């Protein structure tokens, strides 16, 4: 029973050690040392190998190392009928919840302005609102969006959310689909994006959408860079319509040295670290799905290829 591991960011040594503990019978192979391809039954992937999955004729599971599966669905050659799973893990959710709380408070408490003033040795107060005076709009109310929204609600922000299907969440006003997007945007002082990247959502955060936010709004994108039209975002920051943007993700990663985002005004960039896949808990949840497949059961957290997430 062999698994092929392929990731541009995750450390194979760490994952090998965790699988050795939790599933010692598993033959853990690391791309490109695949051995005999017909022995590979499970693939654990983040990005670069997606176009090579047809090389394994006996594949029974394609497990994404990320919650987002756009990297897999963008591949032109995916084997038919092999179940594909998202990465859904309490540690990943905790990481995102912390990142969203951190940067929502960072925007609320005007930290970027204080940091700029510190560089000028400027000791003055700014007016700062309470959380209950600024509404957060959460785009995407899935595993990560819902957990982050409820944490924001817990510290006093009024929170609204937007998703594809109708939701009913405690203390969070929920908006649904394209028909309710404008009403949702008009109320969002801090817009947090935790949508998956799909053909429907690509480029959704463009100048038209940004104009519908209240003047002075902030954008926090922890999802995927290609959801945002970056030139439109820079323009909205330049004009002052947006007061700040926090991006953990960008269209090109790593962000090239000459990308205008680096120099844009009022922007904070983190290098795709909002929440990082954890090998200890991750190996356990993948092993659980492998055992389900061996028992003839359906794995947890299946991707719906039609919906794109
Ligand atoms: P989920 O699949 O659980 O949730 C996705 C949410 O987006 C759902 O509420 C879904 O609606 C909504 N949605 C999807 N398409 C649309 C649409 N066209 N219009 C409106 N709403 C839509 O995903 P997760 O919460 O687990 O993850 C979200 C994303 O976060 C991932 O896809 C990934 O890109 C990103 N991510 C980033 C990380 C980082 O470190 N920066 C780490 C982990 C994830 P519905 O509920 O109706 O299905
Ligand atoms: C993910 C990510 O999708 O790390 O999990 O971006």
């Amino acid at each position: 029973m062999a698994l092929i591991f392929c990731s541009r960011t995750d450390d194979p040594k760490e994952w090998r050690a965790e699988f050795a503990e939790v599933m010692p019978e598993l033959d853990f192979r690391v791309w490109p040392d695949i051995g005999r391809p017909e022995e590979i039954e499970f693939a654990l992937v983040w990005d670069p190998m997606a176009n090579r999955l047809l090389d394994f004729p006996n594949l029974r599971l394609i497990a994404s190392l990320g919650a987002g599966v756009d990297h897999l669905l963008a591949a032109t050659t995916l084997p038919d009928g092999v179940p594909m799973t998202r990465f859904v893990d309490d540690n990943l959710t905790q990481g995102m919840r912390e990142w969203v709380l951190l940067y929502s408070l960072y925007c609320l408490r005007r930290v970027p302005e204080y940091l700029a003033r510190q560089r000028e040795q400027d000791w003055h107060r700014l007016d700062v609102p309470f959380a209950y005076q600024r509404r957060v709009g959460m785009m995407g109310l899935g595993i990560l969006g819902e957990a982050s929204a409820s944490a924001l609600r817990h510290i006093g922000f009024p929170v609204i959310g937007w998703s594809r299907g109708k939701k009913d969440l405690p203390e969070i006003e929920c908006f649904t689909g394209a028909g309710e997007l404008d009403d949702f945007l008009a109320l969002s002082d801090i817009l947090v994006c935790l949508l998956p990247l799909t053909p429907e959502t690509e480029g959704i955060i463009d100048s038209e959408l940004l104009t519908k936010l209240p003047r002075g709004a902030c954008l926090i994108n922890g999802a995927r860079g290609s959801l945002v039209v970056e030139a439109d975002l820079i323009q909205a920051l330049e004009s002052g319509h947006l007061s700040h943007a926090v991006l953990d993700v960008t269209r090109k990663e790593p962000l090239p040295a000459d990308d205008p985002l680096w120099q844009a005004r009022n922007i904070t960039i983190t290098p795709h670290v909002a929440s990082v896949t954890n090998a200890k808990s991750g190996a356990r949840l993948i092993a659980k799905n492998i055992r389900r497949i061996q028992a003839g059961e359906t794995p947890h957290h299946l991707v719906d290829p039609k919906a794109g997430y």
Side-chain angles (χ1 to χ4, degrees), residues 9 46 64-71 86-87 92 96 144 222-224 248-249 253 272-277:
T9 45
W46 179 242
S64 169
L65 273 163
V69 289
D70 44 291
H71 64 107
R86 302 191 324 107
F87 193 82
L92 194 77
M96 186 57 82
L144 303 178
R224 285 291 180 269
D248 183 57
V249 283
E253 293 183 8
H272 202 141
V273 290
S275 191
V276 173
T277 299

Side-chain angles (χ1 to χ4, degrees), residues 58-112:
N58 296 316
L59 211 51
R60 299 168 77 189
L61 172 70
I62 303 166
S64 169
L65 273 163
V69 289
D70 44 291
H71 64 107
L72 285 172
L73 296 177
T76 46
T77 53
L78 279 176
D80 276 342
V82 179
M84 198 182 289
T85 54
R86 302 191 324 107
F87 193 82
V88 176
D89 175 37
D90 288 348
N91 281 322
L92 194 77
T93 307
Q94 178 63 18
M96 186 57 82
R97 197 191 270 127
E98 290 173 8
W99 187 84
V100 170
L101 274 183
L102 170 67
Y103 284 103
S104 300
L105 289 169
Y106 170 90
C107 291
L108 178 82
R109 300 298 296 254
R110 303 176 68 174
V111 174

